[in-house]
């Protein structure tokens, strides 16, 4: 809201009810269809370039400064302007040419005309003092056609933009590949230019918001669903992959199950976006094995079928130098024992395979992670002949002891993830064959979570590097970025995420990251995200510099918005838009999956509630 402040000349009249402009229900245009063609195709459904009846929504006021970037509009009798409304007006220049101006309402206010004191409201309500209610809306400009940056003149008629005009105002007519990102408050599609997601002109999506309220993960999965089902990727959608880390609960274990609780109203919202209603078509779910289970049964409770356990053999742990990922806490990198970590990892790389995932180190066969730790401790004994080779030269015993203490502390958290007690090979690895790969982490300790995220991310990144091609794309959905890529310090996982943020665009690996507080995430990761999304924010967090892309009014709104509503910023549009997304069409818990699709769902037969082959080796 500008500092000038007071508006004194507005419309006079009785208080009116909200008047809908009749523009809801326009579908997203199909592939290859221009915004103008899409609008023309729906003209019979109320999609016109002015409000119904040709009436204006208001007039530009002359008692406050009107600039090319912001101006106030007096709301006309019988009309209403609310936050997020898209408006348009035309100004005729002295040479007779016209400039079309488009904008978005960012603030609305109402006041009494004729009152001087706050207490006058009581006299006006009693009919003692004459006064009228007036409303005004502050509009922030989004586009000029042609680009002649002149202010609107007082008295210019302002109308609600619909159809072709709305596409122009939000730059939808310039998007060659528009991605449905949600609905506006009047159920109009909000589009994102895919070129700022897939690496053509930019890449990466960053989502911020309070845990449990901002619905960050739900919106991230909605974007992935829109990418795969809107047709925006064309033929590439078949080979495009998504790697989703499930860090909280078991909500993401049912992406391949339709949601039986989806209402007809929510189905209609999907149709407005041009999206089919259903679940993800190709999903593979991986979960860690249960602790103490010799059969490596997946450690999940609500889903009893279609889940594969993942772990690493001792030989893989040694040969692929996975030891540093056990020390992925940011503060660890500032300690001297990181030198010991890399020295030990280099020595473990030469361990010989001993069958079924075991390793042999200097003639000693190692079959459990605990045994491996004991061998490492023995090699780091100052009296051992290999001490200098394993610990490194000029390394103090205190530094070595610090490393050993932390290594022993990791045993109980990762011993079920690094093992050599299962026959066969290849069946325990996180695969990327399905369109969506879900890696469940919610039952793991933080140290084990970092280990799994780091190892799986490195494998996915190296896989894309080896392919040598940016297409097909590989999307990575990761919540709690502040845990894996904190602002301070360094760690192996943080280095991988920075590599993804800075080089992923050219490699075709796209990060959809989420966190509660963007102020605690590495700046370069957030800065490299072309699309910024904000859900419900804490008031203190909303005031930080990381949210400078939000106008003051939007920051305040971010502390009030409800679940299912987000504020979205994209490079082409100077004003962040408030978007709502439909309820998930896929199940987010066992109770939402049908009995036919989920034996564990209520109503399924008792004989189907347990897989008779659960617990047997693959």
């Amino acid at each position: 809201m500008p500092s000038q402040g007071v508006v004194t000349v507005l419309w006079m009249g009785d208080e009116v009810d909200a008047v809908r402009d009749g523009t809801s229900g326009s579908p997203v245009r199909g592939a290859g269809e221009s915004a103008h063609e899409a609008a023309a195709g729906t003209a019979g459904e109320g999609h016109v370039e002015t409000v119904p009846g040709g009436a204006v929504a208001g007039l530009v006021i002359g008692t406050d400064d009107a600039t090319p970037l912001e101006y106030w509009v007096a709301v006309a009798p019988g009309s209403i302007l609310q936050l997020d409304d898209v408006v348009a007006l035309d100004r005729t220049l002295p040479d007779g040419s016209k400039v079309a101006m488009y904008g978005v309402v960012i603030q609305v206010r109402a006041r009494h005309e004729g009152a001087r004191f706050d207490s006058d409201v009581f006299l006006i309500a009693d009919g003692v003092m004459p006064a009228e209610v007036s409303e005004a809306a502050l509009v922030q400009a989004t586009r000029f056609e042609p680009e002649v940056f002149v202010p609107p003149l007082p008295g210019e008629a302002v109308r609600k933009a619909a159809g072709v005009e709305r596409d122009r105002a939000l730059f939808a007519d310039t998007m060659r590949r528009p991605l449905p990102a949600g609905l506006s408050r009047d159920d109009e599609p909000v589009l994102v230019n895919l070129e700022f997601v897939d690496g053509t002109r930019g890449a990466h999506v960053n989502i911020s918001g309070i845990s449990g309220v901002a619905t960050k993960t739900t919106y991230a999965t909605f974007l992935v669903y829109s990418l795969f089902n809107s047709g925006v990727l064309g033929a590439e959608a078949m080979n495009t992959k998504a790697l989703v880390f499930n860090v909280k609960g078991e909500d993401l274990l049912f992406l391949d199950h339709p949601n039986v609780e989806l209402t007809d109203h929510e189905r209609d919202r999907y149709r407005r976006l041009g999206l089919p209603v259903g679940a993800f078509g190709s999903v593979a779910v991986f979960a860690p094995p249960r602790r103490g289970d010799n059969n490596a049964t997946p450690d999940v409770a609500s889903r009893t079928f279609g889940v594969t356990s993942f772990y690493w053999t001792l030989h893989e742990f040694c040969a692929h130098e996975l030891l540093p990922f056990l020390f992925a806490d940011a503060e660890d990198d500032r300690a001297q024992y990181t030198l010991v970590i890399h020295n030990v990892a280099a020595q473990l790389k030469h361990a010989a395979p001993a069958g079924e995932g075991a390793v042999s180190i200097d003639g000693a066969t190692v079959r459990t992670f605990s045994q491996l730790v004991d061998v490492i401790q023995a090699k780091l004994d100052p009296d051992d002949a290999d001490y200098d080779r394993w610990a490194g030269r000029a390394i103090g015993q205190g530094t070595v002891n610090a490393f050993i203490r932390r290594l022993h502390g990791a045993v109980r958290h990762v011993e079920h993830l690094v093992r050599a007690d299962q026959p066969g090979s290849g069946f325990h690895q996180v695969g990327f064959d399905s369109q969506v790969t879900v890696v469940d982490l919610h039952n793991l300790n933080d140290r084990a979570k970092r280990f799994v995220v780091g190892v799986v991310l490195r494998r996915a990144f190296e896989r894309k590097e080896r392919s040598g091609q940016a297409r097909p794309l590989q999307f990575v959905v990761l919540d709690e970025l502040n845990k894996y890529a904190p602002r301070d310090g360094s760690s192996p996982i943080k280095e991988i995420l920075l590599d993804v943020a800075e080089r992923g665009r050219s490699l075709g690996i796209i990060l959809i990251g989420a966190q509660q507080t963007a102020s605690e995430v590495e700046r370069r990761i957030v800065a490299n995200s072309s699309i910024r999304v904000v859900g419900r924010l804490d008031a203190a967090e909303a005031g930080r510099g990381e949210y400078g892309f939000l106008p003051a009014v939007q920051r305040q709104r971010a502390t009030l918005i409800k679940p299912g509503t987000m504020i979205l910023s994209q490079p082409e549009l100077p004003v962040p838009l408030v978007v709502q997304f439909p309820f998930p069409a896929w199940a987010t818990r066992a109770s939402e999956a049908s009995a036919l699709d989920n034996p564990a769902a209520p109503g399924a037969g008792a004989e189907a509630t347990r897989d008779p082959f659960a617990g047997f080796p693959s």
Side-chain angles (χ1 to χ4, degrees), residues 74 94 111 140 172 181 240 256 271 303 305 331 340 360 501 519 538 543:
R111 59 180 296 169
Q140 183 169 341
T240 301
D256 53 342
R271 285 191 286 269
R303 179 164 181 162
F305 73 106
E331 64 271 18
V340 182
S360 176
S519 60
D538 175 78

Side-chain angles (χ1 to χ4, degrees), residues 230-523:
S230 63
V232 68
L233 292 176
E236 291 182 5
M238 295 296 295
N239 295 319
T240 301
K241 309 294 184 182
L243 174 62
V244 181
F245 290 97
N246 179 51
V247 298
K248 297 175 183 175
E250 298 187 357
D251 294 352
L252 299 181
L253 302 188
F254 295 92
L255 295 181
D256 53 342
H257 293 72
N259 194 328
V260 297
E261 296 183 6
L262 198 68
T263 64
D264 290 339
H265 171 69
E266 296 297 334
R267 293 175 184 274
D268 183 62
R269 300 182 78 190
Y270 278 95
R271 285 191 286 269
R272 290 176 185 274
L273 289 168
L275 297 175
V277 181
F280 287 83
S282 174
V283 178
V285 180
F286 294 85
R290 294 175 182 170
R291 299 174 186 273
D293 188 344
N294 294 329
N295 294 319
T297 306
D299 188 11
V300 293
S302 59
R303 179 164 181 162
T304 58
F305 73 106
V307 182
T308 304
S309 62
F310 67 84
Y311 56 90
W312 290 266
T313 65
L314 286 169
H315 180 254
E316 291 169 340
F317 180 84
C318 297
H320 299 159
E321 297 184 81
L322 305 185
L323 179 67
F325 291 103
L326 290 179
F327 301 84
D329 302 70
E331 64 271 18
D332 286 339
D333 193 65
R334 294 174 288 182
Q336 294 183 357
Y337 64 78
T338 53
L339 299 174
V340 182
I341 296 174
H342 296 291
N343 288 333
V344 172
Q347 295 301 316
L348 291 177
K349 186 175 182 179
H350 302 298
E356 294 187 355
V359 293
S360 176
I361 301 176
D362 292 343
T365 301
V366 180
R367 297 192 178 277
T368 67
F369 184 72
S370 179
Q371 292 175 355
L372 180 65
V373 173
D374 291 338
V375 171
I376 294 174
Q377 183 175 2
K379 292 295 183 181
L380 293 177
D381 190 312
D383 297 330
D384 192 279
D386 295 328
Y387 176 82
D388 288 343
R389 190 157 50 93
W390 282 73
R393 296 182 180 274
I395 298 296
Q397 188 60 38
T399 300
V400 172
N401 290 338
F403 165 79
I404 293 175
R405 285 196 305 271
R406 285 163 174 77
L407 185 60
H408 274 289
V411 171
R412 65 189 183 94
H413 299 306
V414 300
E415 61 181 348
H416 62 303
L417 298 176
V418 181
R419 56 204 297 167
D421 58 350
Q422 297 295 308
S425 62
F427 299 105
H428 59 276
Q429 297 180 356
V430 174
F432 301 97
D433 296 330
S434 300
Q435 190 175 52
V436 179
T437 300
V438 179
V439 181
D440 181 41
L441 307 174
H442 81 281
N443 280 331
L444 296 178
N445 172 270
D446 281 349
R447 182 183 290 270
K449 284 182 179 179
R450 293 188 182 96
F451 175 77
V452 173
V453 170
V455 174
V456 175
L457 264 183
R458 188 181 75 170
R459 182 169 172 236
F461 191 79
E462 292 176 346
R463 180 171 167 268
K464 284 296 293 181
E465 278 188 314
R466 287 194 301 269
S467 71
Q469 298 179 347
R471 293 295 199 274
L473 296 173
Q474 170 74 66
F475 290 92
V476 176
V477 180
L478 178 61
D479 197 1
E480 298 183 352
L481 270 182
N482 53 310
K483 178 185 297 183
Y484 304 108
R487 172 153 298 188
D488 300 321
S490 180
S491 71
I493 302 177
K494 183 176 178 179
E495 295 305 317
I496 293 174
L497 288 171
L498 276 172
D499 223 3
V500 170
E502 295 175 342
R503 292 200 300 131
R505 173 183 171 185
S506 59
L507 295 174
I509 181 167
I510 309 299
L511 176 63
I512 302 179
Q515 67 282 319
Q516 295 186 42
T517 51
S519 60
E520 297 180 1
V521 177
E522 167 61 43
R523 290 182 178 89

